Amino acid sequence: MSWNTLMEALSLLGSPLVLGCVVVGVIVGLVVGALPGLSATLAVALLVPFTFDLEIMPALALLIGIYCGAIYGGSVTAILFRTPGTPASAATVADGFSLNRMGQPGRALSVAAFSAMVGGVIGTLALVFLAPQIAGFALRFGPPEYCALAVFGLSMIVSVSGASLLKSGAIALFGLLLATVGMDPISGYPRFLFGSVSLMEGIPFIPALIGLFAIAEVLRGLAGGEQVAGAPNGKIFWPTKSDIKRCAWTATRSGIIGTAVGSTPGSGSDIAAFLAYSVARQGAKPGDTFGAGEVKGIAAPEAAKTASISGAMVPLLSLGIPGDSVTAVLIGAFIIHGIQPGPLLFAQHGDIGYAILGAVLLAHALVFLFAILGARYLVRVVACDRRFLLSAILLLSLVGAFALRNNLADVWVAIAFGVLGYLMEKHAYPVAPLLLALILGPMAEENLRRSLILSEGSYAVFLKQPISAVILACAALSIIAALRRQWRAGPAEG
Amino acid sequence: MKTSAIRRLSTLFGPLLFLTASALVAWKARGFPEAPAGVPGPAVAPLILAVLLGAAGLVLLVQAWRETLPQDENAPSILKPLLVLIAAMAGYALLMPRMGFISTSALFVFICLRVFGYHNTLRGAAIALALAFVLYGIFAQLMRVPLPEGWIG
């Protein structure tokens, strides 16, 4: 990187229009991400047409701001209402919402904001310094490695969800079965459609997520429940020194996990968040209260999912390959504005390349600032009448499910998953394995079958490839560790 | 049906769901086309999962059957409001394309408020209508989501 290129990049980034676009993008992203049913992908996709009249840099700054804001914004509703605005925020629900119910919503939001910034900085530094190495490593992944990665993700979540490994495993298998609905990924044969064309692309994930979390939560609200206490008005919730000290290592480690997962094409912020949460929970120390308001349980997913944003940009900027669905939309925006992301981006448009990196870093800093300054307004919402809140969440959930594809079938999916989620929680079945199975199922099946086609039916292919063998060994170890833990806890819980 | 029988059936929710799903998938997957020799076809993954889920369902069924029923006789029943809310959601999905977004949403929120115990009719109606308009503004105007107009709007 030459001095001139850096100066040109700073000059591009420093223009009032670009700075304004980052600010507007972050604010819009925070709001949209907080609305259940409106994912970061949807927000970026819907707002791409608004950038047609802009120059390349303001347009990208706006979209990057929305991306960063929306990924964090989803956690606001996850913490305050147990309603993750984005799939990635689902991992924050357990501890974030528990802390909120303990009367500390401001603390939960400030820890989330701090961890998100740590993850964002780590991810962006990795993007700047390690992009070629990480992208090169991810390029080695073939079908066996992707299949092993999916198995690892599932094994981790099964091993830490709920007291019963059998119940967690059964619900993960059920989720994997649901993930086979739709067109077969290899032959295109339609499976388990039951006459519904809307299921051709599989069970729509966002409506299912809205049902499992938002609608199920409202149905549970019928049993009563105390009014959630709001924090004192007028106070800005800065993270405390003790919380920073307690979360620093978890956030740093999760930031590294998030960057690595995000840079692996196909593995988005949702997988990063769940994986980091699982790792943090596996390494819990005596006194840690994961699942019951532990700040490390907020820090891990928040840092990981924010870091995964930068991670996802590694293959996007260096190879032209999208790391997740949002960066897939961003590629479209690049091309609309006449820029082809890939190995030549930094050689031919170094100023724009480095200005993008600067915009990502700026967006993370602004998300932290707005999240901290806005927390005092957000926590007031929690203290409003619970009857209004539950009614509004239910309506918002149904509209959010519809808004995704303007399809009423998605509303029915949300309702069905809402009832399912309610019954699952009532009978102590964890929701997280079902959710992750829905995300990882298609990836696991497609890569399992591709691997078997390549190996002419031999399952040994997974052990012959060193990377997949190591990942599968880690998966087996996580299950063995969970079995051992359960055995020690006593047979009653099994 | 006696309360204890309903509660017993309720504890079997998971195992029965898994066994039903497993049987349904195994039955439907039998009709899927076969792939060439040595290459896994579209039925392979669902069948493997169905067998594993069926086995897990059977073990959970035995476990649930042996369990003693939880003593929650005094817990307030939420069955009626639960069914009303589920019916309201189903009604919303059915009526929204016909009646229109704002009117159906307002009616839906009004019913929800009643179910959750808010009985001030006038204020409830005003809040329901206001919320419907706000969401219409966000989704239809700001996010450009084409919401149904219907007969009423």
Side-chain angles (χ1 to χ4, degrees), chain B:
Chain B
M1 205 185 291
K2 285 181 181 176
T3 316
S4 61
I6 294 173
R7 282 166 56 210
R8 168 62 69 193
L9 198 64
S10 164
T11 60
L12 300 179
F13 149 75
L16 292 179
L17 174 73
F18 300 145
L19 288 171
T20 309
S22 166
L24 194 66
V25 165
W27 175 64
K28 289 285 282 183
R30 284 190 333 165
F32 290 175
E34 285 186 16
V39 179
V44 169
L47 278 175
I48 294 171
L49 292 169
V51 169
L52 292 173
L53 186 65
L58 275 176
V59 178
L60 284 168
L61 185 71
V62 174
Q63 277 187 359
W65 196 258
R66 284 181 180 169
E67 265 176 20
T68 46
L69 284 174
Q71 299 296 316
D72 60 347
E73 297 281 2
N74 295 326
S77 171
I78 60 158
L79 189 62
K80 193 179 163 190
L82 181 70
L83 292 176
V84 172
L85 267 193
I86 293 170
M89 288 190 286
Y92 183 80
L94 287 171
L95 290 176
M96 206 232 299
R98 291 165 183 81
M99 280 174 59
F101 174 79
I102 294 175
S103 51
T104 319
S105 298
L107 181 66
F108 176 73
V109 174
F110 184 74
I111 293 170
C112 289
L113 285 171
R114 302 288 285 197
V115 172
F116 286 116
Y118 191 82
H119 295 295
N120 186 328
T121 308
L122 269 180
R123 197 177 287 177
I127 289 166
L129 207 56
L131 187 62
F133 270 108
V134 168
L135 284 192
Y136 182 80
I138 292 173
F139 282 91
Q141 304 297 319
L142 209 63
M143 304 301 296
R144 297 183 176 187
V145 175
L147 296 170
E149 297 290 332
W151 307 322
I152 308 173

Side-chain angles (χ1 to χ4, degrees), chain A residues 369-390:
Chain A
L369 195 67
F370 289 142
I372 292 292
L373 295 178
R376 59 179 170 158
Y377 301 109
L378 290 168
V379 291
R380 284 182 193 172
V381 181
V382 189
C384 87
D385 193 318
R386 201 172 149 273
R387 295 167 297 183
F388 300 150
L389 208 59
L390 291 176

Side-chain angles (χ1 to χ4, degrees), chain A residues 46 166 170 177 184 189 191 218 222 387-388 390-391 395-396 398-399 406 408 412 415 422-423 427 429 445 449 453, chain B residues 10 13-15 32-33 41-42 45 53 78 82 89 92 97 101 109 112-113 116-118 127 135 143 145-146:
Chain A
L46 279 176
L166 182 62
L177 261 189
D184 173 35
Y189 184 80
R191 299 183 296 188
V218 174
L222 281 170
R387 295 167 297 183
F388 300 150
L390 291 176
S391 304
L395 177 62
L396 197 57
L398 296 180
V399 184
N406 308 321
L408 274 170
W412 288 107
I415 296 170
Y422 170 77
L423 290 171
H427 297 287
Y429 285 92
E445 188 192 359
R449 288 172 57 193
I453 290 169
Chain B
S10 164
F13 149 75
F32 290 175
L53 186 65
I78 60 158
L82 181 70
M89 288 190 286
Y92 183 80
F101 174 79
V109 174
C112 289
L113 285 171
F116 286 116
Y118 191 82
I127 289 166
L135 284 192
M143 304 301 296
V145 175

